[in-house]
Amino acid sequence: MTTDPSGAASGGRTRNRRGEGGLLRDEIVAAAERILEREGNEDALTLRSVAREAGIAAPSIYGHFADREAILDAVLDIAFERLRQHVLAAVAELDDPVESLLAGCRAYVRFGFDEPARYTVLFGRRRANRPVVTSAQRLADLPPEWRRRTESFMVMVDGLTACAQAGRSASTDPFADATALWTSLHGAVVMRQFVPGFPWPPVEEAVDEMVRRLALIRP
């Protein structure tokens, strides 16, 4: 392969100039995201497929990622942050704590339906050496990347805490009750995807009922 004076490889992508390594890293992650969105399955994600999607040689990846799992971890971080921002945007204009909690939980479920490939990467991967969290206090002991990945859940904890402080919820342990709520929301997403023919109630109606029951919202 030859290059012209501008550094463009004939028949391929334009080479990044010196100091643009971060740009190439972003391109690799974006390529991985596109593959996941298109294929809907992380098995389609290989170093070779990512390199082909990004228009680079596979060995170029190793300057930025040690292996396929490292690329998936980067995609995971972006997806968790996207989920958190999606939930925050849904509650940004709401002052009532109960309406805010309801809106945030609806947004969570919508994210799972609208971005099924990303959602599967978030919660469907089998990961080795995952930290175990048993209480809110243990969150502070997690590695930084895992603390970031719990931030979307903490939006739910904070929302339920606000309901309890306002006297709108009977919860005495918002962390535990939010955990039960999160588990149920996840089940709502997964079950509707895997058992689509079941006569499920309208999703927002079901989410609201789950929130009111599991968050112990006062009538």
Side-chain angles (χ1 to χ4, degrees), residues 158-174:
D158 293 343
L160 183 46
T161 299
C163 291
Q165 291 175 342
R168 307 285 299 282
S169 166
S171 175
T172 58
D173 189 343

Side-chain angles (χ1 to χ4, degrees), residues 11-26:
R13 68 188 295 281
T14 300
R15 288 182 178 176
N16 288 320
R17 294 186 297 274
R18 182 172 297 178
E20 290 185 338
L23 177 60
L24 178 55
R25 186 185 189 281
D26 291 345

Side-chain angles (χ1 to χ4, degrees), residues 6 30 70-71 76 116 127 170 189:
S6 68
I71 298 174
L76 193 71
R127 307 180 194 94
V189 173

